Amino acid sequence: KQEVTQIPAALSVPEGENLVLNCSFTDSAIYNLQWFRQDPGKGLTSLLLIQSSQREQTSGRLNASLDKSSGRSTLYIAASQPGDSATYLCAVSGNTPLVFGKGTRLSVIA
Amino acid sequence: SAVISQKPSRDICQRGTSLTIQCQVDSQVTMMFWYRQQPGQSLTLIATANQGSEATYESGFVIDKFPISRPNLTFSTLTVSNMSPEDSSIYLCSVAPQGVYGYTFGSGTRLTVV
């Protein structure tokens, strides 16, 4: 059974810092890995999708990498801003629909 | 990517009653998914809904409690039946990946049962 772990559970940083969020998964037989953002009490916004054949994806200040063989992904956020404050969720899909980690709650302090 | 309209966005309900949540997609999709997010927790898959067949429920979720309809390729409903305070959660619908866009989610329904 696929399990997804995200570290750290919470992170507080000053504005302008670069930061890395970590995601690991137990079954490397995945199709895709997707990073989402969730604001309190809201739905999910897709940030980046990495297909299993890809190593990384970039969108603006965000860069996500995937090492399928080791079961790891990282989300790199450059020059963090207070508007980046949210919970970031990692999810993988394989033979089953998306399996989510518990998320990293990020606070960027002005 | 697909755009999903989910209603209601939030509701406060009395215990013992039922609430039906609707998701409308702007394009035809084969598979739709319903998730629950309990307070402080991550998302848990409730069931997969395919048009023209009964939904497939995950372990711990049953049809009598969470009946699902999928009358066509653009619409689905989830009903939370005989509600108790433990059903207070955010419920989200999702559609399967479309090319490079990955899974898309509705905006969620925040349910509070009192």
Coordinates of all heavy atoms in Angstrom, one line a residue, chain A residues 6 32 34 36 38 40-44 46 49 51 89 93 96-103 105, chain B residues 10 33 35 37 41-43 45 48 90 92 94 97 99-108 110:
Chain A
Q6 N 5.6 13.6 4.3 CA 6.1 14.9 4.1 C 6.8 15.4 5.3 O 6.3 15.4 6.4 CB 5.0 15.9 3.7 CG 4.4 15.5 2.3 CD 3.4 16.6 1.8 OE1 2.2 16.3 1.7 NE2 3.9 17.8 1.5
N32 N 2.5 9.5 -11.7 CA 2.7 11.0 -11.6 C 3.0 11.3 -10.1 O 2.5 10.6 -9.2 CB 1.5 11.8 -12.1 CG 1.2 11.5 -13.5 OD1 2.0 11.6 -14.4 ND2 -0.1 11.1 -13.8
Q34 N 2.3 14.9 -7.9 CA 1.7 16.3 -8.0 C 1.9 17.0 -6.7 O 1.6 16.5 -5.6 CB 0.3 16.1 -8.5 CG -0.3 17.3 -9.1 CD -1.6 17.0 -9.8 OE1 -2.0 15.8 -10.0 NE2 -2.4 18.0 -10.2
F36 N 0.4 20.3 -4.6 CA -0.7 21.1 -4.4 C -0.5 22.2 -3.3 O 0.3 21.9 -2.4 CB -2.0 20.3 -4.1 CG -2.4 19.4 -5.1 CD1 -2.0 18.1 -5.1 CD2 -3.3 19.7 -6.1 CE1 -2.4 17.1 -6.0 CE2 -3.8 18.8 -7.0 CZ -3.3 17.5 -7.0
Q38 N -2.8 24.4 -0.5 CA -4.2 24.5 0.0 C -4.2 25.6 1.1 O -3.4 25.6 2.0 CB -4.6 23.2 0.7 CG -6.1 23.3 1.2 CD -6.5 22.0 1.8 OE1 -5.8 21.2 2.4 NE2 -7.8 21.7 1.7
P40 N -6.2 27.8 4.0 CA -7.1 27.3 5.1 C -8.6 27.2 4.7 O -9.1 28.2 4.2 CB -6.9 28.3 6.2 CG -5.5 28.8 6.0 CD -5.3 28.9 4.5
G41 N -9.2 26.0 4.9 CA -10.6 25.9 4.6 C -11.0 25.8 3.2 O -12.1 25.8 2.8
K42 N -10.0 25.8 2.3 CA -10.2 25.9 0.9 C -9.9 24.6 0.1 O -9.4 23.6 0.7 CB -9.4 27.0 0.2 CG -9.6 28.4 0.9 CD -11.0 28.9 0.7 CE -11.1 30.3 1.2 NZ -12.5 30.8 1.0
G43 N -10.1 24.6 -1.2 CA -9.8 23.4 -2.0 C -8.3 23.4 -2.3 O -7.5 24.2 -1.8
L44 N -8.0 22.6 -3.3 CA -6.6 22.4 -3.7 C -6.3 23.1 -5.0 O -7.1 23.0 -6.0 CB -6.3 20.9 -3.9 CG -5.9 20.1 -2.6 CD1 -7.0 20.1 -1.6 CD2 -5.4 18.7 -3.0
S46 N -3.4 23.0 -8.0 CA -2.3 22.3 -8.5 C -1.1 23.2 -8.8 O -1.3 24.3 -9.4 CB -2.7 21.5 -9.7 OG -1.6 20.8 -10.2
L49 N 3.0 19.2 -11.8 CA 2.9 17.8 -12.0 C 4.1 17.3 -12.6 O 4.6 17.9 -13.6 CB 1.7 17.6 -13.0 CG 1.6 16.2 -13.6 CD1 1.1 15.2 -12.5 CD2 0.7 16.1 -14.8
Q51 N 5.6 13.9 -14.4 CA 5.3 12.6 -14.8 C 6.4 11.6 -14.5 O 7.6 12.1 -14.3 CB 5.0 12.6 -16.3 CG 3.7 13.5 -16.7 CD 3.5 13.6 -18.1 OE1 4.3 13.3 -19.0 NE2 2.3 14.1 -18.5
L89 N 0.8 20.2 -0.2 CA 0.5 18.7 -0.2 C 1.2 18.1 -1.4 O 1.2 18.6 -2.5 CB -1.0 18.5 -0.3 CG -1.8 18.9 0.9 CD1 -3.3 19.0 0.5 CD2 -1.6 18.0 2.0
S93 N 0.2 9.2 -7.8 CA -0.8 8.3 -8.4 C 0.0 7.1 -9.1 O 1.0 7.3 -9.7 CB -1.6 9.0 -9.5 OG -0.8 9.5 -10.5
T96 N -3.6 3.2 -8.3 CA -4.7 3.7 -7.5 C -4.7 5.2 -7.7 O -3.7 5.8 -8.2 CB -4.6 3.4 -6.0 OG1 -3.3 4.0 -5.6 CG2 -4.5 1.9 -5.8
P97 N -5.9 5.8 -7.5 CA -5.9 7.3 -7.5 C -4.9 7.9 -6.5 O -4.3 7.3 -5.8 CB -7.4 7.6 -7.2 CG -8.1 6.4 -7.5 CD -7.2 5.3 -7.2
L98 N -5.0 9.2 -6.5 CA -4.0 10.0 -5.7 C -3.9 9.6 -4.2 O -5.0 9.4 -3.6 CB -4.3 11.5 -5.8 CG -3.9 12.2 -7.0 CD1 -4.4 13.7 -6.9 CD2 -2.4 12.2 -7.3
V99 N -2.7 9.4 -3.8 CA -2.5 9.2 -2.3 C -1.7 10.4 -1.8 O -0.7 10.7 -2.4 CB -1.7 7.9 -2.1 CG1 -1.4 7.7 -0.6 CG2 -2.4 6.7 -2.6
F100 N -2.2 11.0 -0.8 CA -1.7 12.2 -0.3 C -0.8 12.0 0.9 O -1.0 11.2 1.8 CB -2.8 13.2 0.1 CG -3.5 13.8 -1.1 CD1 -4.5 13.2 -1.8 CD2 -3.1 15.1 -1.5 CE1 -5.1 13.8 -2.8 CE2 -3.7 15.7 -2.5 CZ -4.7 15.1 -3.2
G101 N 0.2 12.9 1.1 CA 0.9 13.1 2.3 C 0.1 14.0 3.2 O -1.0 14.5 2.8
K102 N 0.5 14.2 4.4 CA -0.2 15.0 5.4 C 0.1 16.5 5.2 O -0.6 17.3 5.9 CB 0.1 14.6 6.8 CG -0.4 13.2 7.2 CD -0.2 12.8 8.6 CE -0.8 11.5 8.9 NZ -0.7 11.1 10.3
G103 N 1.1 16.8 4.4 CA 1.3 18.2 4.1 C 2.4 18.9 5.0 O 2.7 18.4 6.1
R105 N 2.9 22.7 6.5 CA 2.3 24.0 6.7 C 3.3 25.1 6.8 O 4.2 25.1 7.6 CB 1.5 24.1 8.0 CG 0.6 25.3 8.2 CD -0.1 25.4 9.6 NE -0.7 24.1 9.9 CZ -1.1 23.9 11.2 NH1 -1.1 24.8 12.1 NH2 -1.7 22.7 11.4
Chain B
R10 N -20.1 25.7 1.6 CA -20.1 25.4 3.0 C -21.5 25.3 3.5 O -22.5 25.8 2.8 CB -19.4 26.5 3.8 CG -20.0 27.9 3.7 CD -19.3 28.8 4.7 NE -17.8 28.9 4.4 CZ -16.9 29.0 5.4 NH1 -17.3 29.0 6.7 NH2 -15.6 29.1 5.1
F33 N -13.7 11.5 -8.6 CA -13.3 11.0 -7.3 C -13.8 11.9 -6.2 O -13.9 13.1 -6.4 CB -11.7 10.9 -7.2 CG -11.1 10.2 -8.3 CD1 -10.6 10.9 -9.4 CD2 -10.9 8.8 -8.3 CE1 -10.0 10.2 -10.5 CE2 -10.3 8.1 -9.3 CZ -9.9 8.8 -10.4
Y35 N -13.2 12.9 -2.2 CA -12.3 12.9 -1.0 C -12.9 13.5 0.2 O -13.7 14.4 0.1 CB -11.0 13.6 -1.4 CG -10.1 12.9 -2.4 CD1 -10.3 13.0 -3.7 CD2 -9.0 12.2 -1.9 CE1 -9.5 12.4 -4.6 CE2 -8.2 11.5 -2.8 CZ -8.4 11.7 -4.2 OH -7.6 11.0 -5.1
Q37 N -11.6 15.4 3.8 CA -10.4 15.9 4.6 C -10.9 16.3 6.0 O -11.6 17.4 6.1 CB -9.8 17.1 3.9 CG -8.5 17.6 4.6 CD -7.9 18.8 3.8 OE1 -8.6 19.6 3.2 NE2 -6.6 18.9 4.0
Q41 N -6.2 17.0 9.0 CA -5.7 15.8 8.4 C -5.6 16.0 6.9 O -6.0 17.0 6.3 CB -6.7 14.6 8.6 CG -7.0 14.3 10.0 CD -5.7 13.9 10.8 OE1 -5.0 13.1 10.3 NE2 -5.5 14.4 11.9
S42 N -5.0 15.0 6.2 CA -4.8 15.1 4.8 C -6.1 14.5 4.1 O -7.1 14.2 4.8 CB -3.6 14.4 4.3 OG -3.3 14.7 2.9
L43 N -6.0 14.4 2.8 CA -7.2 13.9 2.1 C -7.2 12.4 2.0 O -6.2 11.7 1.8 CB -7.1 14.4 0.6 CG -7.6 15.9 0.4 CD1 -6.5 16.9 0.8 CD2 -7.9 16.1 -1.1
L45 N -9.4 9.3 0.1 CA -10.3 8.9 -0.9 C -11.6 8.2 -0.4 O -11.4 7.2 0.3 CB -9.6 8.1 -2.0 CG -10.4 7.6 -3.2 CD1 -10.8 8.9 -4.1 CD2 -9.7 6.6 -4.1
T48 N -14.6 6.2 -6.1 CA -14.4 6.5 -7.5 C -15.7 6.3 -8.2 O -16.3 5.3 -8.0 CB -13.3 5.6 -8.1 OG1 -12.1 5.7 -7.4 CG2 -13.1 6.0 -9.6
I90 N -14.0 18.8 5.2 CA -14.1 19.3 3.9 C -14.2 18.2 2.9 O -13.4 17.2 3.0 CB -12.9 20.2 3.5 CG1 -12.8 21.4 4.5 CG2 -12.9 20.7 2.1 CD1 -11.5 22.2 4.3
L92 N -14.2 17.1 -1.1 CA -13.8 17.6 -2.4 C -14.0 16.5 -3.5 O -13.8 15.3 -3.3 CB -12.3 17.9 -2.4 CG -11.8 18.9 -1.3 CD1 -11.1 18.3 -0.2 CD2 -10.9 20.0 -2.0
S94 N -12.9 15.5 -7.6 CA -11.7 15.6 -8.4 C -11.9 14.8 -9.7 O -12.7 13.9 -9.7 CB -10.5 15.0 -7.7 OG -9.3 15.0 -8.5
P97 N -6.4 12.8 -14.3 CA -5.5 13.6 -15.1 C -5.9 13.8 -16.5 O -6.3 12.8 -17.2 CB -4.2 12.9 -14.9 CG -4.3 12.0 -13.7 CD -5.8 11.7 -13.7
G99 N -3.8 14.9 -19.5 CA -2.5 15.3 -20.1 C -1.6 15.8 -19.0 O -1.4 15.2 -18.0
V100 N -1.0 17.0 -19.3 CA 0.0 17.5 -18.4 C -0.6 18.2 -17.2 O 0.1 18.8 -16.4 CB 0.9 18.5 -19.2 CG1 1.6 17.7 -20.3 CG2 0.1 19.7 -19.7
Y101 N -1.9 18.3 -17.1 CA -2.5 19.1 -16.1 C -2.7 18.3 -14.8 O -3.0 18.9 -13.7 CB -3.8 19.7 -16.5 CG -3.7 20.6 -17.7 CD1 -4.1 20.2 -19.0 CD2 -3.1 21.8 -17.6 CE1 -3.9 21.1 -20.1 CE2 -2.9 22.7 -18.7 CZ -3.3 22.3 -19.9 OH -3.1 23.1 -21.0
G102 N -2.6 17.0 -14.8 CA -2.8 16.3 -13.6 C -4.2 16.3 -13.0 O -5.2 16.7 -13.8
Y103 N -4.4 15.9 -11.8 CA -5.7 15.9 -11.2 C -6.1 17.3 -10.9 O -5.3 18.2 -10.5 CB -5.6 15.1 -9.9 CG -5.6 13.6 -10.0 CD1 -4.4 13.0 -10.3 CD2 -6.7 12.8 -9.9 CE1 -4.3 11.6 -10.5 CE2 -6.6 11.4 -10.0 CZ -5.4 10.8 -10.3 OH -5.4 9.5 -10.5
T104 N -7.4 17.5 -11.1 CA -8.0 18.8 -10.8 C -9.1 18.6 -9.8 O -9.8 17.7 -9.8 CB -8.7 19.4 -12.1 OG1 -7.7 19.5 -13.1 CG2 -9.2 20.8 -11.8
F105 N -9.1 19.6 -8.8 CA -10.1 19.5 -7.7 C -11.1 20.7 -7.7 O -10.8 21.8 -8.2 CB -9.3 19.6 -6.4 CG -8.6 18.3 -6.0 CD1 -7.4 17.9 -6.6 CD2 -9.2 17.4 -5.1 CE1 -6.8 16.7 -6.3 CE2 -8.6 16.2 -4.8 CZ -7.4 15.9 -5.4
G106 N -12.3 20.3 -7.2 CA -13.2 21.4 -7.0 C -12.8 22.2 -5.8 O -11.8 21.9 -5.1
S107 N -13.5 23.3 -5.5 CA -13.1 24.2 -4.5 C -13.5 23.7 -3.1 O -13.1 24.4 -2.1 CB -13.8 25.6 -4.7 OG -15.2 25.4 -4.8
G108 N -14.2 22.6 -3.0 CA -14.4 22.0 -1.7 C -15.7 22.5 -1.0 O -16.2 23.6 -1.3
R110 N -17.2 22.8 2.8 CA -16.9 22.7 4.2 C -18.1 22.5 5.0 O -19.0 23.3 5.1 CB -16.2 24.1 4.7 CG -15.7 24.0 6.1 CD -14.8 25.2 6.3 NE -14.0 25.0 7.5 CZ -13.0 25.8 7.9 NH1 -12.8 26.9 7.2 NH2 -12.3 25.6 8.9

